[in-house]
Amino acid sequence: MNIVVLVKQVPDTTEIKIDKETHTLIRTGVKNIINPDDLAGVEEALKLKEIYGGKVITVTMGPEHAKSMIKALYARGVDEAYLLSDRKFAGSDTWATSYILSSFLKSLDYDLIIAGYQAIDGDTAQVGPQVAEFLDIPQITHIKEILDVNLESITVKKAFEDEVHTLMTKLPCLITTVRTMNQPRLMSAFKIWETSEKPIQLITSSDLELNPEYIGLKGSPTRVKATFTKPITKKSEKEVLEPTVAAKRILKLIYPYMEVTK
């Protein structure tokens, strides 16, 4: 089974800053991490490979400094990695990003595509579903658990806010994973040494058949007109209470909004 995982390198949101002139994220000098929902997808893919064989391939779109992240994925057990990087891709919104990613994915042989549910620097949850639409394959989003996979289909639990649905669809398909579904494995010291010289395959716009009107800022229908920081206002006085007193006070405040099941 060949599994493709879409992985994004994102700025650590505890240090994020906004350029007030361009309304874009300031990434220079900011610590970058593997998007947590994507890392959960990598872990699920590696677990499936251990059971069913095949290989795990990651596809990333971003600047070349994402190579450090890809090295970390190799050290976890990823077999192949592709980095889609080109100045012409800069400024792409989710639609343009999905168009570029899906154009490349058409060149790969895969049974399953896994994408993180959403990236912490955008929180749109759009890229995975849009890639599935471009590829015209089934999709199931916000997966809580993979129950079964065979050569023809996959059965999963899809999490909603207040219930869980068990769904099945045919392969190939795309699913999106959430960070809470597993505990990603650590990098292997042996694999760090073993994969230190492993190549990362760089893909540029000249390697793909793309409509230039659909990529980059020019090809992105999304426009950020303004950004602002929500002001914090003090609504009540601070109180220091004993735990039991505090619990009773909180219960009294939230009780009118609780649904009581008899």
PDB file of all heavy atoms in Angstrom, residues 165-182:
ATOM      1  N   HIS A 165     -19.313   8.998  13.776  1.00  0.00           N
ATOM      2  CA  HIS A 165     -19.884   8.181  12.710  1.00  0.00           C
ATOM      3  C   HIS A 165     -18.840   7.193  12.199  1.00  0.00           C
ATOM      4  O   HIS A 165     -17.667   7.554  12.049  1.00  0.00           O
ATOM      5  CB  HIS A 165     -20.341   9.057  11.535  1.00  0.00           C
ATOM      6  CG  HIS A 165     -21.527   9.909  11.849  1.00  0.00           C
ATOM      7  ND1 HIS A 165     -22.113  10.729  10.918  1.00  0.00           N
ATOM      8  CD2 HIS A 165     -22.248  10.063  12.991  1.00  0.00           C
ATOM      9  CE1 HIS A 165     -23.134  11.354  11.466  1.00  0.00           C
ATOM     10  NE2 HIS A 165     -23.230  10.974  12.724  1.00  0.00           N
ATOM     11  N   THR A 166     -19.244   5.964  11.938  1.00  0.00           N
ATOM     12  CA  THR A 166     -18.378   4.981  11.299  1.00  0.00           C
ATOM     13  C   THR A 166     -18.683   4.984   9.804  1.00  0.00           C
ATOM     14  O   THR A 166     -19.832   4.776   9.401  1.00  0.00           O
ATOM     15  CB  THR A 166     -18.613   3.578  11.883  1.00  0.00           C
ATOM     16  OG1 THR A 166     -18.308   3.606  13.276  1.00  0.00           O
ATOM     17  CG2 THR A 166     -17.722   2.554  11.198  1.00  0.00           C
ATOM     18  N   LEU A 167     -17.662   5.256   9.000  1.00  0.00           N
ATOM     19  CA  LEU A 167     -17.852   5.416   7.560  1.00  0.00           C
ATOM     20  C   LEU A 167     -16.876   4.528   6.799  1.00  0.00           C
ATOM     21  O   LEU A 167     -15.773   4.250   7.262  1.00  0.00           O
ATOM     22  CB  LEU A 167     -17.636   6.880   7.154  1.00  0.00           C
ATOM     23  CG  LEU A 167     -18.518   7.929   7.840  1.00  0.00           C
ATOM     24  CD1 LEU A 167     -18.045   9.330   7.461  1.00  0.00           C
ATOM     25  CD2 LEU A 167     -19.971   7.735   7.456  1.00  0.00           C
ATOM     26  N   MET A 168     -17.279   4.124   5.610  1.00  0.00           N
ATOM     27  CA  MET A 168     -16.414   3.330   4.742  1.00  0.00           C
ATOM     28  C   MET A 168     -16.423   3.932   3.346  1.00  0.00           C
ATOM     29  O   MET A 168     -17.471   4.403   2.890  1.00  0.00           O
ATOM     30  CB  MET A 168     -16.904   1.877   4.689  1.00  0.00           C
ATOM     31  CG  MET A 168     -15.996   0.930   3.895  1.00  0.00           C
ATOM     32  SD  MET A 168     -16.374   0.882   2.125  1.00  0.00           S
ATOM     33  CE  MET A 168     -17.922  -0.050   2.153  1.00  0.00           C
ATOM     34  N   THR A 169     -15.291   3.934   2.696  1.00  0.00           N
ATOM     35  CA  THR A 169     -15.237   4.404   1.317  1.00  0.00           C
ATOM     36  C   THR A 169     -14.195   3.593   0.553  1.00  0.00           C
ATOM     37  O   THR A 169     -13.326   2.956   1.154  1.00  0.00           O
ATOM     38  CB  THR A 169     -14.908   5.906   1.235  1.00  0.00           C
ATOM     39  OG1 THR A 169     -15.056   6.340  -0.115  1.00  0.00           O
ATOM     40  CG2 THR A 169     -13.473   6.180   1.669  1.00  0.00           C
ATOM     41  N   LYS A 170     -14.304   3.648  -0.755  1.00  0.00           N
ATOM     42  CA  LYS A 170     -13.372   2.898  -1.591  1.00  0.00           C
ATOM     43  C   LYS A 170     -12.044   3.649  -1.720  1.00  0.00           C
ATOM     44  O   LYS A 170     -11.982   4.858  -1.623  1.00  0.00           O
ATOM     45  CB  LYS A 170     -13.991   2.674  -2.977  1.00  0.00           C
ATOM     46  CG  LYS A 170     -15.199   1.747  -2.978  1.00  0.00           C
ATOM     47  CD  LYS A 170     -15.721   1.542  -4.402  1.00  0.00           C
ATOM     48  CE  LYS A 170     -16.900   0.569  -4.399  1.00  0.00           C
ATOM     49  NZ  LYS A 170     -17.429   0.371  -5.774  1.00  0.00           N
ATOM     50  N   LEU A 171     -11.003   2.872  -1.971  1.00  0.00           N
ATOM     51  CA  LEU A 171      -9.694   3.440  -2.281  1.00  0.00           C
ATOM     52  C   LEU A 171      -9.554   3.584  -3.792  1.00  0.00           C
ATOM     53  O   LEU A 171     -10.150   2.813  -4.535  1.00  0.00           O
ATOM     54  CB  LEU A 171      -8.582   2.536  -1.740  1.00  0.00           C
ATOM     55  CG  LEU A 171      -8.545   2.314  -0.225  1.00  0.00           C
ATOM     56  CD1 LEU A 171      -7.400   1.373   0.120  1.00  0.00           C
ATOM     57  CD2 LEU A 171      -8.400   3.626   0.520  1.00  0.00           C
ATOM     58  N   PRO A 172      -8.770   4.541  -4.278  1.00  0.00           N
ATOM     59  CA  PRO A 172      -8.039   5.539  -3.500  1.00  0.00           C
ATOM     60  C   PRO A 172      -8.964   6.629  -2.981  1.00  0.00           C
ATOM     61  O   PRO A 172      -9.972   6.958  -3.609  1.00  0.00           O
ATOM     62  CB  PRO A 172      -7.033   6.086  -4.513  1.00  0.00           C
ATOM     63  CG  PRO A 172      -7.722   5.949  -5.829  1.00  0.00           C
ATOM     64  CD  PRO A 172      -8.499   4.658  -5.727  1.00  0.00           C
ATOM     65  N   CYS A 173      -8.589   7.182  -1.829  1.00  0.00           N
ATOM     66  CA  CYS A 173      -9.368   8.266  -1.251  1.00  0.00           C
ATOM     67  C   CYS A 173      -8.433   9.167  -0.450  1.00  0.00           C
ATOM     68  O   CYS A 173      -7.232   8.897  -0.339  1.00  0.00           O
ATOM     69  CB  CYS A 173     -10.478   7.713  -0.354  1.00  0.00           C
ATOM     70  SG  CYS A 173      -9.868   7.041   1.198  1.00  0.00           S
ATOM     71  N   LEU A 174      -8.998  10.237   0.088  1.00  0.00           N
ATOM     72  CA  LEU A 174      -8.235  11.155   0.951  1.00  0.00           C
ATOM     73  C   LEU A 174      -8.937  11.247   2.291  1.00  0.00           C
ATOM     74  O   LEU A 174     -10.161  11.373   2.357  1.00  0.00           O
ATOM     75  CB  LEU A 174      -8.137  12.539   0.306  1.00  0.00           C
ATOM     76  CG  LEU A 174      -7.299  13.578   1.062  1.00  0.00           C
ATOM     77  CD1 LEU A 174      -6.613  14.533   0.078  1.00  0.00           C
ATOM     78  CD2 LEU A 174      -8.127  14.385   2.069  1.00  0.00           C
ATOM     79  N   ILE A 175      -8.150  11.156   3.368  1.00  0.00           N
ATOM     80  CA  ILE A 175      -8.687  11.350   4.711  1.00  0.00           C
ATOM     81  C   ILE A 175      -7.880  12.453   5.397  1.00  0.00           C
ATOM     82  O   ILE A 175      -6.728  12.701   5.042  1.00  0.00           O
ATOM     83  CB  ILE A 175      -8.638  10.064   5.552  1.00  0.00           C
ATOM     84  CG1 ILE A 175      -7.192   9.599   5.773  1.00  0.00           C
ATOM     85  CG2 ILE A 175      -9.469   8.960   4.913  1.00  0.00           C
ATOM     86  CD1 ILE A 175      -7.061   8.432   6.741  1.00  0.00           C
ATOM     87  N   THR A 176      -8.515  13.128   6.362  1.00  0.00           N
ATOM     88  CA  THR A 176      -7.773  14.123   7.133  1.00  0.00           C
ATOM     89  C   THR A 176      -7.718  13.693   8.596  1.00  0.00           C
ATOM     90  O   THR A 176      -8.711  13.222   9.153  1.00  0.00           O
ATOM     91  CB  THR A 176      -8.382  15.535   7.004  1.00  0.00           C
ATOM     92  OG1 THR A 176      -9.670  15.581   7.627  1.00  0.00           O
ATOM     93  CG2 THR A 176      -8.492  15.957   5.563  1.00  0.00           C
ATOM     94  N   THR A 177      -6.562  13.869   9.193  1.00  0.00           N
ATOM     95  CA  THR A 177      -6.302  13.387  10.546  1.00  0.00           C
ATOM     96  C   THR A 177      -6.197  14.550  11.531  1.00  0.00           C
ATOM     97  O   THR A 177      -5.895  15.681  11.149  1.00  0.00           O
ATOM     98  CB  THR A 177      -4.985  12.598  10.571  1.00  0.00           C
ATOM     99  OG1 THR A 177      -3.956  13.380   9.933  1.00  0.00           O
ATOM    100  CG2 THR A 177      -5.132  11.280   9.828  1.00  0.00           C
ATOM    101  N   VAL A 178      -6.411  14.232  12.803  1.00  0.00           N
ATOM    102  CA  VAL A 178      -6.286  15.236  13.868  1.00  0.00           C
ATOM    103  C   VAL A 178      -5.216  14.795  14.863  1.00  0.00           C
ATOM    104  O   VAL A 178      -4.957  13.610  15.034  1.00  0.00           O
ATOM    105  CB  VAL A 178      -7.621  15.462  14.597  1.00  0.00           C
ATOM    106  CG1 VAL A 178      -8.636  16.072  13.646  1.00  0.00           C
ATOM    107  CG2 VAL A 178      -8.161  14.162  15.163  1.00  0.00           C
ATOM    108  N   ARG A 179      -4.641  15.767  15.515  1.00  0.00           N
ATOM    109  CA  ARG A 179      -3.470  15.505  16.376  1.00  0.00           C
ATOM    110  C   ARG A 179      -3.771  14.573  17.536  1.00  0.00           C
ATOM    111  O   ARG A 179      -2.882  13.935  18.072  1.00  0.00           O
ATOM    112  CB  ARG A 179      -2.918  16.821  16.890  1.00  0.00           C
ATOM    113  CG  ARG A 179      -3.757  17.483  17.955  1.00  0.00           C
ATOM    114  CD  ARG A 179      -3.345  18.880  18.246  1.00  0.00           C
ATOM    115  NE  ARG A 179      -3.706  19.780  17.158  1.00  0.00           N
ATOM    116  CZ  ARG A 179      -3.491  21.084  17.164  1.00  0.00           C
ATOM    117  NH1 ARG A 179      -2.863  21.628  18.173  1.00  0.00           N
ATOM    118  NH2 ARG A 179      -3.868  21.841  16.156  1.00  0.00           N
ATOM    119  N   THR A 180      -5.047  14.493  17.954  1.00  0.00           N
ATOM    120  CA  THR A 180      -5.386  13.711  19.137  1.00  0.00           C
ATOM    121  C   THR A 180      -5.524  12.222  18.869  1.00  0.00           C
ATOM    122  O   THR A 180      -5.738  11.444  19.795  1.00  0.00           O
ATOM    123  CB  THR A 180      -6.704  14.226  19.745  1.00  0.00           C
ATOM    124  OG1 THR A 180      -7.718  14.222  18.723  1.00  0.00           O
ATOM    125  CG2 THR A 180      -6.547  15.645  20.268  1.00  0.00           C
ATOM    126  N   MET A 181      -5.407  11.788  17.613  1.00  0.00           N
ATOM    127  CA  MET A 181      -5.667  10.378  17.311  1.00  0.00           C
ATOM    128  C   MET A 181      -4.482   9.478  17.605  1.00  0.00           C
ATOM    129  O   MET A 181      -4.636   8.255  17.607  1.00  0.00           O
ATOM    130  CB  MET A 181      -6.127  10.215  15.858  1.00  0.00           C
ATOM    131  CG  MET A 181      -5.093  10.494  14.806  1.00  0.00           C
ATOM    132  SD  MET A 181      -5.805  10.418  13.119  1.00  0.00           S
ATOM    133  CE  MET A 181      -6.471   8.747  13.027  1.00  0.00           C
ATOM    134  N   ASN A 182      -3.298  10.020  17.862  1.00  0.00           N
ATOM    135  CA  ASN A 182      -2.157   9.167  18.181  1.00  0.00           C
ATOM    136  C   ASN A 182      -1.051   9.971  18.852  1.00  0.00           C
ATOM    137  O   ASN A 182      -1.150  11.204  18.967  1.00  0.00           O
ATOM    138  CB  ASN A 182      -1.635   8.467  16.921  1.00  0.00           C
ATOM    139  CG  ASN A 182      -1.203   9.454  15.845  1.00  0.00           C
ATOM    140  OD1 ASN A 182      -0.570  10.465  16.137  1.00  0.00           O
ATOM    141  ND2 ASN A 182      -1.562   9.180  14.596  1.00  0.00           N
TER     142      ASN A 182
END
